[in-house]
Amino acid sequence: MSDCEHELLNGLTDAQVDAVTTTEGPLLVLAGPGSGKTTVVTRRIAWLLAQGIPSWQLLALTFTNKAAGEMRDRVDALLPGVSGERRGLTIMTFHGFCARLLRQYPDEARVPSNYSIYDTTDRRAALKQAVRNAGLDSGNWTPASVGEAISQCKNRLTTAEQHDAGGGDFYTRSIGRIYREYQTILDRNGALDFDDLLLKVAVMLRDDDEMRQTLQDRFRYLMIDEYQDTNQAQFVIASALVGPQRNICVVGDPDQSIYGWRGADISNILDFEHQFSAAKVVSLGRNFRSTGHIVEASAGLIRRNSSHRERTLHTELGDGDRVVVAGAADEHDEARQLVDLFRDQFMAGTPWREMAVLYRINALSRVLEQAFRDGQIPYVVARGTAFYERAEIKDALSYLRLVVNPRDEVALRRIINTPPRGIGKTSLDRVEKHAILNRMGLGEAIRNAEQVPALTARARSALGRFDEMVEAWRSDADGGSLLLDLPDFVSRVIRESGLEKSLRTGASEEDIARLENLDELVTAAAEWTPPRGDPEDDEPTILQQVAAWLESIALVSDADMVDPENGSVTLMSLHAAKGLEFDVVAMAGFEQGLLPHARSLEDDVEREEERRLCYVGMTRARRTLHLSHAHRRTVRGITERTMPSQFLGEIPADALDRQDDDDPWGTGIKPVSTADWQVGATVRHPTFGLGMIRRVVPRPRGTTATIEFLEYGHRTLLVAQSNLELVDPDERPWEGIDIPI
């Protein structure tokens, strides 16, 4: 073994060494929270390079830009001095990789070479228009609901035409109509949404034998991080990229599969050994992150899931403090308690940046933010697109999108008269009508404004100047002029578009803040690092750089926006916290209906995902974990009593420090955990006799159980007051009885 190879294995556990050095054939690495997953992935990449594998034959895919960047940096640190030889090493997000392929092979994928990527806002606008075009009531068909349905279709590789062919009920047919209209809008605008990036590549690789062979020859070693989060489209892509060598390594944890609502399919990781026969499985059981009580508490909870794959988890960091469970009178009291907790932790030496509050729904952040402001505790709310959703930033980016893609009508409509340039609504309506009648795009109609009837001379002149301005930018960006760099071009567009001047003429603090935001956008362009390309690639033009930069902005996630050096407490959703860790973690709103979410209470599959989500949140903590619930909470202006989360009853009691009140409302009723009362369990009642539990519902005044009794039929009882007795199945209570239920 060479010195380099020895150093790459130094400090690893036996299981980690096994995962790093197993380079041939299919490999599943089961990596629990804090088990050194990133270490294994990066050292495995470095190990392959050290074995002489050409860098361009390696492909590593993950889900966030932050994770991809960390992997690249760690590989660079592991193999200093050979960076030049690794040009062409591809470590990217799934969406980023697919976006690159579509730019490289637009004809094969049947997409425009200069396509736009529609972000959440653009997609919402297109969905609204699609609902109108389908002749449906926008009040009944919201962008969120229809967007989710269309996403599910695309994740399953179902096109609009295939969906229509399926027929179905009124809802299905309506979704099909909206899907068809939505896709028509995207095609007309030369645009793709996030789902299209995966769909187009998956279909191309599935159907095009030559492209599939080309990419299999290029990428002979495939690694996929967070494999439990892959959907069907991503599975198709991964399977197609695996050549006859079958050198695929996936790393993940079924217990951390929390994105089923957006199409993630947990069966991809659960069935990996079936899908790739003779696959080797390596389980990483040592937790390097959390103390013993946190590991015990989280492991005890997740064992309740039927999908859980049992493995031994341990830590060498000591037991640490028990997990605190705290009750509060209401959400304001809960927030004040958290302020006190974080202030105490800070006084004890914990930096603000090492503390976080996690919650199931974003609506909980409002009261928390107010309490943190009042308590003068620095905080940031992790919302990935917040900066890029600001009006002035959206305006500037729309100009840039139009430079890249002249067919992007969403961008065009946004900035055609922003700032005002004499192109009013009436003029634009006339141009749009002309475009529809002549079956042309809005951009083409503007370029031929002299042919649009009833336009004033002023409007024609304004449209002409606008078109000339954008075309000049496009020509220069595509190599027609010697431009210095990307930030210079962005600055030029901001200046020549009139955005900068329109804000400088204002004297308000708001205008000054918007100018500063535009300056920050130029700074973001300067700090952006283009993705590594192949060694033989030409230097990209400014136009290509703009396109790639816009892609990176469109694909930013909440987790990408968490700055570990921000010097502030981080407030974020449980979903956004995936992949992060902090010394101190507080989970707020630990209540039935919030965590688990209300919509999961009667669905076993959804409740298991909620339990995984809770598990992910708990395992973000290194040494201090604080779970809080409020006895009353105001939702939509109505104050209601709440119940502590059923998950509290599923966590091993030895790992908890219960500081909450068993009888918060003075009812004399002690809340009963639903963990003890499961559907299908046999119970005995002093009056009604034997029965079987059919339904369990946690309610503010206590858990109710709907029971079908042998002699008395259905009864719904308050468990805590019913004198019910759980019957041990070993008693064989139904033996010899003809059960009618």
Side-chain angles (χ1 to χ4, degrees), residues 258 360 574-575 595 609-617:
I258 60 174
R360 176 63 178 86
L574 285 164
H575 284 100
L595 184 67
E609 179 154 325
E610 290 290 299
R611 191 175 285 110
R612 292 195 294 269
L613 183 60
C614 184
Y615 175 74
V616 166

Side-chain angles (χ1 to χ4, degrees), residues 476-479 486 538-547:
D476 289 348
D478 203 24
L486 175 64
D538 296 330
E539 189 71 22
T541 65
I542 293 296
L543 188 65
Q544 291 168 328
Q545 291 183 50
V546 171

Side-chain angles (χ1 to χ4, degrees), residues 167-200:
D169 56 18
F170 173 76
Y171 173 82
T172 303
R173 294 194 305 275
S174 298
I175 290 294
R177 289 163 56 191
I178 299 169
Y179 187 3
R180 185 173 62 252
E181 294 293 343
Y182 173 67
Q183 205 59 46
T184 299
I185 293 171
L186 292 181
D187 294 343
R188 187 174 66 243
N189 287 270
L192 305 177
D193 61 19
F194 296 152
D195 300 314
D196 283 329
L197 298 176
L198 303 177
L199 169 66
K200 299 293 186 182

Side-chain angles (χ1 to χ4, degrees), residues 38 51 63 144 160 232 241 314 500 527 539 594 629 666 731:
T38 305
Q51 305 308 303
F63 280 84
Q232 185 174 343
L241 289 173
H314 67 281
E500 181 179 325
E527 294 177 348
E539 189 71 22
L594 289 180
H629 61 88
E731 293 185 20

